[in-house]
Amino acid sequence: MSSEFGKNIKLSVFGESHGKAIGCVIDGLPAGVKLDMEKIYSDMARRAPGQGKYSTPRLEKDIPIILSGVLDNVTTGAPLAMIIENTNTKSGDYANVMTLPRPSHSDYPAYVKYDGNNDIRGGGHFSGRLTAPLVFAGAVAKQILKEKGITVGAHIAKIKDVCDDKFDKNNITPELLENLSSRSFSTISAVAQEKMAAAIECARMEQDSVGGIIECAAVGLPVGVGANMFSTVESHLSSILFGIPAVKGVQFGAGFDFAQMTGSEANDQYCIKDGKIALMSNNNGGVLGGMTSGAPVVLDVVIKPTPSISKPQQSVNLQTMQEETLVIKGRHDPCIVPRAVPVVEAAVAFGLLDLMM
């Protein structure tokens, strides 16, 4: 299995959902960076399970234990190694999926690829629980980016058919992004939040789940970060974003809406603003030719509905090769989108820092 990312700053994630611990190693961080641990704990808490009826009742505090690379909350330049202990596992809930692969999970292809030796409990190394170390790495990256005047933040743009207000792509402030990043259920509109919560509760009561869209932005980036062809901002950020298990789509700026535009509608024309070259619109999401344009980097990430649902589903017994009905046990989110917001922020922050180093 390959669980590494980065060219200039390397991130390696390890562990399984029901193992003793999960964690990561970050290699290439500069020495002398003062880490605000409270901000790191805050991001970890936003992603952590057990936050109410809208998330899995599995309660994990997700307190990172730093093993190396930090002294008195200051990076030393050595690899930063961190673990998070798993303390609330119920592995017995996964006994029936050892032979009955769960629909829309990694169970079947992993069973074939690894000859049945993969850890199926909670999804093993394929579990969304492995995003906790990514959030830690992203929280560290956010603080380094902040010193460079760069802010990353996100909100829930859509859950099922309920939409939040969208970013004004050419006018996003650091204050807005920081405000959104301080919430556990991050929306711009309070009304949208209430309707989204109702949609999630409806799915939960029906033993089902719902997905959604997260809109993320980064402001303060200089012009020219990234490169052409295979080293673009889009390809680099998409690569780490697709490392989040539930992500099934990423688009920048207007994305697929470009298909219904004319060139004159789509083009971001130039102007002078405060004595500097600026863009009159930001349909390209802050990226041109694979490089940052000076406008906010804006992207959407599609999160699929949680595949572990309580409704009976059809599967196949891998031992008998007979069709069987599967009832999934265990503790699962009726919607993972709220908890995925800090994960998307973390992925974008780490990806941008890697490009900038």
Side-chain angles (χ1 to χ4, degrees):
M1 295 183 186
S2 176
S3 302
E4 297 179 346
F5 176 86
K7 298 178 181 178
N8 302 303
I9 297 180
K10 299 182 184 298
L11 172 65
S12 177
V13 176
F14 60 86
E16 292 89 22
S17 178
H18 285 216
K20 291 184 177 181
I22 55 178
C24 68
V25 177
I26 310 172
D27 198 357
L29 286 173
V33 177
K34 178 74 173 180
L35 297 180
D36 185 333
M37 296 305 299
E38 290 304 315
K39 288 186 177 180
I40 292 176
Y41 296 150
S42 176
D43 272 359
M44 300 293 290
R46 292 167 63 211
R47 193 225 70 92
Q51 299 186 50
K53 62 184 179 181
Y54 303 126
S55 73
T56 168
R58 175 179 176 176
L59 183 60
E60 296 281 8
K61 293 183 178 180
D62 282 0
I63 301 299
I65 302 171
I66 297 177
L67 305 177
S68 66
V70 177
L71 180 62
D72 297 328
N73 291 341
V74 178
T75 59
T76 65
L80 196 169
M82 177 277 295
I83 62 169
I84 300 168
E85 295 177 336
N86 291 326
T87 61
N88 191 5
T89 58
K90 292 185 178 181
S91 300
D93 290 339
Y94 294 88
N96 64 329
V97 301
M98 298 292 183
T99 54
L100 290 174
R102 295 167 294 175
S104 289
H105 272 278
S106 63
D107 299 352
Y108 174 60
Y111 175 87
V112 173
K113 184 176 180 67
Y114 299 106
D115 296 323
N117 294 303
N118 56 300
D119 186 349
I120 199 70
R121 302 169 303 168
H125 192 64
F126 295 93
S127 171
R129 176 135 183 79
L130 273 295
T131 60
L134 174 56
V135 170
F136 173 86
V140 172
K142 277 185 183 180
Q143 295 188 31
I144 300 175
L145 290 175
K146 191 65 178 177
E147 293 180 355
K148 301 176 183 293
I150 299 165
T151 306
V152 177
H155 71 111
I156 305 168
K158 186 175 185 178
I159 287 181
K160 201 171 184 288
D161 55 356
V162 181
C163 295
D164 189 21
D165 298 335
K166 296 282 283 182
F167 285 139
D168 177 348
K169 292 181 174 60
N170 211 30
N171 185 27
I172 303 172
T173 65
E175 291 76 19
L176 172 61
L177 298 182
E178 289 173 352
N179 181 275
L180 292 170
S181 294
S182 68
R183 307 179 197 172
S184 59
F185 199 119
S186 182
T187 60
I188 297 172
S189 165
V191 174
Q193 178 179 331
E194 291 179 5
K195 292 181 179 179
M196 288 177 181
I200 296 172
E201 176 63 6
C202 180
R204 187 180 73 87
M205 295 303 294
E206 293 177 352
Q207 296 183 308
D208 216 327
S209 64
V210 288
I213 296 173
I214 295 169
E215 186 180 34
C216 184
V219 298
L221 285 156
V223 178
V225 174
N228 66 323
M229 293 290 288
F230 307 121
S231 300
T232 67
V233 171
E234 296 106 325
S235 62
H236 200 64
L237 294 186
S238 295
S239 176
I240 190 170
L241 285 165
F242 278 115
I244 302 170
V247 170
K248 300 303 287 186
V250 177
Q251 67 174 13
F252 287 78
F256 283 92
D257 286 342
F258 276 123
Q260 61 195 34
M261 294 181 179
T262 61
S264 59
E265 293 171 328
N267 290 348
D268 299 318
Q269 300 179 60
Y270 291 102
C271 65
I272 297 294
K273 185 177 181 180
D274 299 327
K276 298 179 180 179
I277 296 176
L279 297 174
M280 296 175 66
S281 59
N282 190 21
N283 290 319
N284 287 281
V287 185
L288 295 168
M291 301 168 289
T292 53
S293 66
V297 169
V298 186
L299 56 92
D300 291 318
V301 178
V302 179
I303 307 289
K304 72 178 183 180
T306 315
S308 288
I309 58 177
S310 299
K311 281 186 174 182
Q313 301 175 85
Q314 182 173 303
S315 186
V316 171
N317 189 308
L318 298 174
Q319 302 299 321
T320 66
M321 293 300 290
Q322 297 294 314
E323 295 178 357
E324 292 187 21
T325 298
L326 170 66
V327 177
I328 297 175
K329 302 175 183 178
R331 301 160 293 175
H332 307 284
D333 298 74
C335 180
I336 60 175
V337 178
R339 292 175 56 212
V341 172
V343 185
V344 169
E345 291 176 1
V348 170
F350 195 91
L352 288 174
L353 183 62
D354 183 43
L355 281 171
M356 295 187 69
M357 296 295 289

